[in-house]
């Protein structure tokens, strides 16, 4: 941290706007990783101000995108959406397909948080074909799971199940325990809602096994509450 602040002092002495913008952006990312969100946002704002003078749309969009994530951590989904929309506009103009897919996915997350389920589903539907065409199967699977959660929030259990079956197929490529556990937990919720209680218990038990290995007490608590209701 001390070395980065020294680098900033030196950059300000040089008075080169491109170097300043880079250092401000780097400090924004650094403090975001440390969860010092207010400090991170302060540096992203300075980087954006500098980048607007430079005129690089792709760099400006990256800064908007990173600062949006800060507001996401801070629980400010409205401001997160505003910044994602700004970056998304530039990604469309620049035909940055992968970045656009990521932007659609994150916008879907923000809309889901705000309870705007239909809009969230629309964004997820925009992200999925991009991730498939770019062979970004991990991202595709993540979107399937989060979209399934959105369908569950809407009580659209059949569509949620379709998503989760598809997610299971792709999750086999990675064997990431937490991803497998999330799919099983979501399937347990679907089966419970459909009153297929035997299936629900099986999915709960499988999910519990994984979350116990991961020592994820929050998810385990939710699973045992669900099981207690059966």
């Amino acid at each position: 941290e001390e070395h980065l602040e020294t680098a900033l002092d030196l950059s300000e002495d040089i008075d080169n706007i491109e170097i300043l913008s880079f250092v401000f952006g780097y400090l924004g990312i650094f403090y975001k990783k440390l969860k010092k969100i207010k400090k991170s946002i302060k540096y992203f704002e300075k980087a954006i101000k500098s980048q607007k003078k430079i005129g690089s749309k792709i760099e400006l969009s990256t800064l908007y995108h990173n600062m949006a994530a800060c507001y996401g951590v801070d629980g400010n989904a409205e401001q997160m959406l505003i910044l994602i929309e700004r970056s998304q506009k530039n990604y469309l103009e620049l035909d940055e397909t992968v970045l656009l897919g990521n932007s659609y996915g994150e916008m879907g997350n923000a809309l889901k948080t705000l309870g705007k389920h239909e809009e969230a589903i629309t964004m997820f539907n925009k992200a999925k074909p991009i991730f498939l065409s770019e062979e970004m199967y991990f991202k595709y699977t993540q979107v399937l799971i989060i979209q399934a959660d959105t369908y569950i929030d809407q009580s659209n259990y059949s569509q949620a199940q379709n998503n989760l079956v598809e997610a299971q197929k792709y999750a086999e490529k990675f064997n990431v325990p937490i991803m497998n556990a999330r799919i099983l937990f979501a399937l347990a919720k679907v089966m419970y809602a459909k009153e297929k209680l035997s299936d629900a218990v099986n999915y709960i038990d499988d999910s519990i096994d994984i979350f116990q290995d991961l020592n994820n007490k929050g998810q385990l608590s939710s699973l045992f509450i669900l099981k207690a209701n059966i």
Side-chain angles (χ1 to χ4, degrees):
E1 188 172 349
E2 182 183 340
H3 296 314
L4 287 172
E5 296 291 349
T6 301
L8 176 59
D9 291 339
L10 291 169
S11 299
E12 287 174 334
D13 288 342
I14 296 169
D15 195 26
N16 182 307
I17 195 168
E18 290 185 352
I19 293 174
L20 266 177
S21 179
F22 172 79
V23 173
F24 285 144
Y26 193 91
L27 282 164
I29 292 168
F30 176 76
Y31 285 115
K32 184 177 75 168
K33 288 179 179 177
L34 293 179
K35 299 291 190 286
K36 295 183 178 181
I37 300 304
K38 288 183 180 177
K39 207 164 186 178
S40 176
I41 289 171
K42 180 186 80 172
Y43 281 115
F44 280 134
E45 285 174 340
K46 288 185 176 185
I48 286 166
K49 186 177 179 181
S50 299
Q51 198 57 239
K52 282 180 177 177
K53 294 177 183 177
I54 297 167
S56 170
K57 283 189 175 182
I58 189 66
E59 293 296 334
L60 185 61
S61 300
T62 300
L63 290 167
Y64 283 142
H65 186 86
N66 283 325
M67 190 159 73
C70 289
Y71 282 107
V73 171
D74 214 28
N76 189 340
E78 291 280 5
Q79 187 61 33
M80 182 182 180
L81 268 179
I82 289 168
L83 292 166
I84 291 174
E85 285 172 353
R86 288 179 188 171
S87 64
Q88 205 171 90
K89 181 182 176 183
N90 287 338
Y91 292 150
L92 276 165
E93 288 178 7
L94 297 167
D95 198 27
E96 290 285 346
T97 306
V98 171
L99 294 174
L100 188 60
N102 289 332
S103 181
Y104 286 144
E106 290 182 18
M107 183 174 279
N109 270 326
L111 289 164
K112 181 181 182 294
T113 300
L114 291 169
K116 298 181 179 181
H117 296 125
E118 286 299 331
E119 292 175 57
I121 287 166
T122 298
M123 285 299 125
F124 293 137
N125 283 337
K126 287 184 176 183
K128 286 190 297 185
I130 292 175
F131 293 145
L132 272 180
S133 66
E134 298 294 326
E135 298 184 357
M136 297 170 67
Y137 300 126
F138 190 86
K139 287 271 190 181
Y140 176 66
T141 309
Q142 286 181 313
V143 169
L144 283 169
I145 296 168
I146 300 167
Q147 190 180 43
D149 288 338
T150 312
Y151 284 128
I152 289 170
D153 290 342
Q154 289 185 310
S155 301
N156 186 348
Y157 300 112
S158 294
Q159 190 58 58
Q161 187 173 357
N162 290 341
N163 266 47
L164 294 166
V165 169
E166 176 85 348
Q168 278 185 312
K169 182 175 74 175
Y170 282 92
E172 290 175 358
K173 296 175 181 288
F174 320 112
N175 193 28
V176 176
I178 194 164
M179 179 177 278
N180 295 330
R182 285 183 63 197
I183 294 169
L184 292 167
F185 191 2
L187 282 167
K189 292 177 187 176
V190 169
M191 293 301 110
Y192 175 74
K194 289 186 167 187
E195 299 184 353
K196 295 182 178 181
L197 302 185
S198 177
D199 288 338
V201 169
N202 289 335
Y203 284 127
I204 289 170
D205 288 342
D206 288 344
S207 187
I208 284 172
D209 287 343
I210 300 173
F211 279 126
Q212 282 179 331
D213 289 341
L214 296 170
N215 196 29
N216 191 321
K217 293 179 181 178
Q219 293 284 18
L220 284 169
S221 176
S222 298
L223 281 159
F224 281 116
I225 289 169
L226 179 59
K227 192 171 183 179
N229 287 321
I230 295 175

